[in-house]
Amino acid sequence: HPGGGSPNSAIEWRFAPDWLLNIGGSLEDDQIAGRYFSPRYALNWRFADNQAARLVYSRAIRSPDMLENRAYWQYRAETMDPSLSAYNGTYFQRGIAKGDAPAEKIESREIGYYGRFDKAHLNVDIRAFNDIMWLAEHDIEIETFNTAPNKRYGMQGNEVSLDWRPVPGHRLQLNYAYLEMSAQLGEDNGNFVPRHSGSLGWWQDHARDWKAGVTYYFYNDLRDRMLYWDRLDMQIIRQFHLPDGHLLDLTATLQKRLTDDSELRSENGADMHRAWLGVSYHFL
């Protein structure tokens, strides 16, 4: 933020053997948006070995950026013929920010569960949340440079994450989220979040420095329940051990989009297939 800082602080208090309270926050001072505090409170209860429940509340602010609050757009037109330079001048339309763009805010409430089952080599993370957001829908064009007041939206949902390692060297991950979006009375929420989304991935770590994985991603029920998207990622990694503990990784990745939707055509920047090679070097 221009001319500002954001000191962070956190405290942790174990007021009983199985209870843990975390309190943290960030204080920001912005020349444009002013000073505000973003807190986070989390209460954790370990009710059994390797199992815990949590309650979390947090609030965050997104201050307006330089474009939204300080923009001053103008264009100067010049003729191609130097003899007509008298007609050069500034284009009459200008985009000028009024400096009153509001800061956006989100409040989040969460209840969650985490379990680690060592005998089954399984980790489980489940959460239900309720978010309230105050978001702005700006129309930032040189013809109509307008910053709108915030509108209230609500988002409720559930998320499940499973991490299973059935045998050494193999890992299976499952993630799923269910979301519902609501708007303030009289407003359309635009259905700009998918109702269902998730991924399913499998990784194999070979003993001879080879790794391979396949992951499937999807979301659906987006934009009036009309859009469905899914993709398959495949990756192979070869790792080389170098002197002094250094590592060299060679990676080959292939992405294959399985959905042929009209909004995801190649002319819109969404290729059906993508492949690339990568090199990474790790040193101590």
Side-chain angles (χ1 to χ4, degrees), residues 4 6-7 24 27-28 39 52 57 74 106 111 134 143 145 150 167 182 185 187 189 191 195 213 233 246 254 272 275:
S6 56
L27 178 64
E28 302 194 33
Y57 170 82
Q74 62 180 11
I106 178 172
I111 180 171
W134 289 264
E143 297 89 354
F145 197 104
N150 287 342
V167 294
S182 60
L185 186 62
E187 297 287 345
N189 64 19
N191 294 322
R195 177 175 289 182
D233 289 9
H246 296 193
L254 172 64
M272 287 291 294

Side-chain angles (χ1 to χ4, degrees), residues 17-70:
D18 295 326
W19 291 85
L20 182 65
L21 177 65
N22 297 96
I23 301 177
S26 173
L27 178 64
E28 302 194 33
D29 191 357
D30 191 293
Q31 286 184 346
I32 298 176
R35 180 177 297 179
Y36 46 85
F37 179 67
S38 299
R40 185 181 187 275
Y41 311 102
L43 179 62
N44 296 272
W45 173 38
R46 192 184 65 178
F47 58 87
D49 289 341
N50 299 327
Q51 296 187 69
R54 64 183 180 272
L55 293 173
V56 183
Y57 170 82
S58 60
R59 184 174 70 245
I61 300 291
R62 190 196 75 87
S63 61
D65 58 28
M66 295 290 288
L67 174 63
E68 294 167 324
N69 250 341
R70 297 289 177 87

Side-chain angles (χ1 to χ4, degrees), residues 174-195:
L174 171 65
N175 299 284
Y176 170 75
Y178 176 83
L179 300 176
E180 282 286 351
M181 194 80 177
S182 60
Q184 62 189 22
L185 186 62
E187 297 287 345
D188 181 15
N189 64 19
N191 294 322
F192 55 82
V193 297
R195 177 175 289 182

Side-chain angles (χ1 to χ4, degrees), residues 54-97:
R54 64 183 180 272
L55 293 173
V56 183
Y57 170 82
S58 60
R59 184 174 70 245
I61 300 291
R62 190 196 75 87
S63 61
D65 58 28
M66 295 290 288
L67 174 63
E68 294 167 324
N69 250 341
R70 297 289 177 87
Y72 189 93
W73 288 348
Q74 62 180 11
Y75 296 96
R76 178 174 173 80
E78 297 185 358
T79 64
M80 298 295 293
D81 187 350
S83 64
L84 300 176
S85 59
Y87 294 98
N88 295 345
T90 302
Y91 191 54
F92 71 93
Q93 285 186 328
R94 299 180 181 181
I96 303 175

Side-chain angles (χ1 to χ4, degrees), residues 126-236:
I126 304 173
R127 77 182 191 109
F129 61 90
N130 184 299
D131 296 344
I132 301 176
M133 300 168 285
W134 289 264
L135 306 178
E137 297 179 2
H138 301 322
D139 187 9
I140 301 180
E141 301 290 343
I142 193 169
E143 297 89 354
T144 56
F145 197 104
N146 296 319
T147 54
N150 287 342
K151 296 180 181 179
R152 185 180 184 275
Y153 295 89
M155 185 165 65
Q156 306 82 37
N158 306 280
E159 293 181 353
V160 178
S161 178
L162 304 178
D163 189 318
W164 184 38
R165 302 172 187 254
V167 294
H170 291 260
R171 182 179 185 182
L172 184 69
Q173 284 187 311
L174 171 65
N175 299 284
Y176 170 75
Y178 176 83
L179 300 176
E180 282 286 351
M181 194 80 177
S182 60
Q184 62 189 22
L185 186 62
E187 297 287 345
D188 181 15
N189 64 19
N191 294 322
F192 55 82
V193 297
R195 177 175 289 182
H196 305 279
S197 62
S199 65
L200 177 63
W202 168 79
W203 276 92
Q204 185 175 8
D205 190 351
H206 294 273
R208 296 185 177 182
D209 299 323
W210 284 91
K211 297 180 181 181
V214 179
T215 306
Y216 172 77
Y217 303 89
F218 84 97
Y219 66 72
N220 66 358
D221 285 358
L222 181 68
R223 294 187 182 178
D224 297 320
R225 317 305 182 209
M226 296 294 292
L227 182 60
Y228 180 87
W229 172 93
D230 60 351
R231 191 185 74 201
L232 190 66
D233 289 9
M234 292 161 280
Q235 191 174 74
I236 297 177

